[in-house]
């Protein structure tokens, strides 16, 4: 009697345990996808106005530009963490090839960090849009290059 009860209880605990693990894994993937998409959204929010200044759509404002550039340099460190294994499945535009070419993908994220750090540096002392335009272009190229290869359009 006692043994049967124990076995029954063990079975129940085991099935609860497995379901919890499966749920946790699904949640983890969804959370990671949402995290990286949010990180990119915040990044783009800061990147956009710099682009508008470089293109002459809005007047160049050195202080705002420098703040945005510093934000982007900081934020560029964040999305990579969200590309966890298994997260090619779900509500995502990330291509599965990312995980097959992980070193290259990671290197492109590294390039974004490098170029945006340089942009933030240049922007600190810039007084004219001409002084930041080139480095802004270098940074934007990294966004584009990665999206072409690793993101669904
Ligand atoms: C190393 C690769 C890489 C770099 C560099 C990169 N991105 Fe992305 N980006 C991605 C991938 C992959 C996705 C798709 C993420 C997903 O849907 O899970 C994405 C998605 C986005 C999104 C959409 C987010 C959403 O809500 O779905 C925006 C906006 C974005 N990136 C902006 C940028 C900007 C701006 C830059 C440059 C400053 C940049 N990205 C640089 C790989 C990159």
């Amino acid at each position: 009697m006692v043994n049967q009860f124990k076995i029954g209880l063990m079975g129940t605990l085991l099935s609860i345990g497995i379901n919890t693990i499966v749920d946790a894994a699904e949640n983890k993937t969804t959370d990671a996808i949402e995290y990286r998409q949010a990180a990119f959204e915040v990044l783009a929010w800061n990147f956009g106005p710099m682009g508008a200044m470089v293109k002459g759509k809005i007047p160049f404002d050195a202080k705002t530009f420098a703040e945005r550039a510093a934000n982007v340099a900081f934020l560029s460190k964040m999305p990579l963490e969200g590309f966890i294994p298994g997260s090619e499945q779900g509500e995502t535009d990330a291509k599965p090839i990312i995980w097959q070419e992980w070193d290259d993908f990671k290197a492109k994220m590294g390039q974004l960090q490098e170029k945006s750090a340089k942009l933030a540096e240049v922007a600190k002392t810039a007084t004219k849009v001409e002084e930041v335009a080139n480095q802004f272009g270098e940074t934007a190229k990294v966004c584009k290059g990665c999206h072409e290869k690793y993101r669904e359009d």
Side-chain angles (χ1 to χ4, degrees):
M1 201 56 197
V2 172
N3 280 345
Q4 267 175 2
F5 174 73
K6 264 195 190 161
I7 291 165
L9 186 66
M10 287 269 287
T12 309
L13 287 177
L14 207 65
S15 65
I16 291 171
I18 287 166
N19 286 337
T20 312
I21 290 165
V22 171
D23 285 353
E26 275 170 12
N27 287 342
K28 219 178 147 197
T29 307
T30 310
D31 284 353
I33 293 170
E34 283 173 2
Y35 165 78
R36 70 194 183 213
Q37 290 175 342
F40 281 126
E41 290 288 340
V42 181
L43 198 71
W45 177 273
N46 284 279
F47 204 65
M50 288 194 285
M53 285 185 211
V54 168
K55 286 179 191 154
K57 286 185 183 162
I58 56 172
F60 179 68
D61 179 80
K63 187 169 169 284
T64 305
F65 195 100
E67 280 169 5
R68 298 278 182 212
N71 289 348
V72 168
F74 174 74
L75 292 163
S76 66
K77 297 174 192 152
M78 311 202 90
L80 188 67
E81 196 187 336
F83 288 89
I84 62 168
S87 63
E88 68 275 19
Q89 267 160 24
E91 299 270 313
T92 177
D93 292 327
K95 288 188 182 168
I97 191 188
I98 290 171
W99 288 270
Q100 281 142 38
E101 302 203 11
W102 182 252
D103 288 346
D104 178 62
F105 183 75
K106 209 174 145 189
K108 284 190 163 52
M109 277 300 189
Q111 274 174 30
L112 181 65
Q113 289 164 22
E114 256 173 56
K115 303 282 183 189
S116 59
K118 180 91 191 288
L119 179 63
E121 197 55 42
V122 176
K124 262 188 205 166
T125 53
T127 53
K128 291 197 281 295
V129 73
E130 288 77 18
E131 295 171 64
V132 291
N134 196 36
Q135 194 57 34
F136 177 84
E138 290 286 309
T139 312
K141 252 192 252 166
V142 185
C143 313
K144 195 163 177 266
C146 187
H147 289 165
E148 274 169 5
K149 188 165 177 191
Y150 294 114
R151 190 178 76 164
E152 304 284 353
D153 330 288

